[in-house]
Amino acid sequence: AQKITQTQPGMFVQEKEAVTLDCTYDTSDPSYGLFWYKQPSSGEMIFLIYQGSYDQQNATEGRYSLNFQKARKSANLVISASQLGDSAMYFCAMREGQGTALIFGKGTTLSVSS
Amino acid sequence: DVKVTQSSRYLVKRTGEKVFLECVQDMDHENMFWYRQDPGLGLRLIYFSYDVKMKEKGDIPEGYSVSREKKERFSLILESASTNQTSMYLCASTNPLGSSSTTNEKLFFGSGTQLSVL
């Protein structure tokens, strides 16, 4: 079974609109961390946001927020006010227990149009 | 600025060749990782290392080996390259959990090596 599932291969949004990228995860470890990375066409992996399993509040970083629903095991990324520069591949990832290796989903390609 | 440096951005090799992919980080990180990225498959963990001279297999170690003789350097070795090893290879590093004031031990990535095996 996949540990990280991103069901949207591609998403399209217009500038200034909000968009939600879905991510569900599977773990039996009570301690875990959830990450989102952005990969533009240049190929670099850019860290966006982190949510710990014990964090009470949803994480936010500027225009990025993580909609963490623990019971549903979902960690959706919300990008508010999309910009052309947000066009990229987005990866959801999970760290389990005390390890630091990340398990990645297959990614979602976001295209932002003017 | 913190950096993870991969020695080559593009590499073309022939089947059967021995290939070395080098990765160096300047952040004094203890943990280092090698991933490969393929379209539609995301990033998959090949090998990782939590300390010098230590290595652990990831999810897809077959056909690969690694070397970590110094803390800052983690090498990925393809003993006999095959066409199915054509891929983007990404190196990453971080510190162990609890080594900073937060638990956000995010991975810092290099810019990747696109390897083509012909």
Side-chain angles (χ1 to χ4, degrees):
Chain A
Q2 286 186 62
K3 292 251 180 181
I4 295 286
T5 303
Q6 295 181 254
T7 56
Q8 307 153 315
M11 288 286 283
F12 297 87
V13 68
Q14 288 209 309
E15 262 187 305
K16 300 178 187 175
E17 289 184 354
V19 62
T20 298
L21 306 184
D22 294 341
C23 174
T24 57
Y25 60 92
D26 183 26
T27 182
S28 57
D29 200 308
S31 175
Y32 54 90
L34 297 158
F35 299 76
W36 278 92
Y37 279 84
K38 172 185 178 182
Q39 187 182 46
S41 56
S42 59
E44 61 186 310
M45 292 286 286
I46 302 167
F47 165 76
L48 295 178
I49 197 166
Y50 166 82
Q51 180 85 41
S53 59
Y54 297 118
D55 294 342
Q56 296 296 313
Q57 293 190 319
N58 286 347
T60 59
E61 291 282 353
R63 293 185 300 112
Y64 304 108
S65 60
L66 200 153
N67 185 1
F68 181 45
Q69 298 193 32
K70 201 168 182 177
R72 294 185 179 183
K73 293 190 174 179
S74 75
N76 299 339
L77 177 70
V78 181
I79 305 174
S80 63
S82 298
Q83 301 172 355
L84 294 177
D86 293 335
S87 294
M89 176 78 83
Y90 288 80
F91 290 101
C92 179
M94 177 174 66
R95 168 183 57 74
E96 289 182 294
Q98 296 304 302
T100 53
L102 294 186
I103 304 161
F104 284 84
K106 295 183 178 181
T108 296
T109 301
L110 176 66
S111 300
V112 182
S113 59
S114 56
Chain B
D1 202 13
V2 295
K3 254 193 153 177
V4 179
T5 303
Q6 294 184 232
S7 53
S8 305
R9 186 72 178 93
Y10 299 97
L11 211 52
V12 180
K13 296 292 181 181
R14 298 219 174 265
T15 55
E17 278 193 75
K18 190 168 186 176
V19 181
F20 292 86
L21 301 184
E22 305 287 347
C23 175
V24 177
Q25 49 93 7
D26 65 0
M27 295 167 280
D28 201 35
H29 283 162
E30 292 186 24
N31 302 348
M32 296 188 74
F33 308 85
W34 276 106
Y35 288 88
R36 66 176 280 177
Q37 181 181 0
D38 300 288
L41 296 180
L43 280 73
R44 293 178 292 166
L45 183 63
I46 305 171
Y47 264 99
F48 58 103
S49 168
Y50 284 156
D51 203 349
V52 176
K53 296 194 186 293
M54 291 181 65
K55 60 184 178 184
E56 298 281 344
K57 292 181 180 179
D59 299 318
I60 51 164
E62 296 78 20
Y64 303 95
S65 62
V66 290
S67 172
R68 188 140 181 232
E69 296 296 318
K70 293 185 177 182
K71 189 177 186 180
E72 67 270 19
R73 185 181 296 270
F74 192 34
S75 304
L76 181 69
I77 304 156
L78 288 66
E79 294 289 342
S80 177
S82 63
T83 55
N84 63 13
Q85 292 178 310
T86 290
S87 186
M88 170 68 83
Y89 290 88
L90 290 161
C91 176
S93 70
T94 190
N95 271 326
L97 291 187
S99 57
S100 71
S101 60
T102 73
T103 56
N104 170 10
E105 301 301 349
K106 61 181 180 283
L107 299 190
F108 292 85
F109 282 87
S111 54
T113 296
Q114 179 63 52
L115 173 66
S116 297
V117 183
L118 307 178

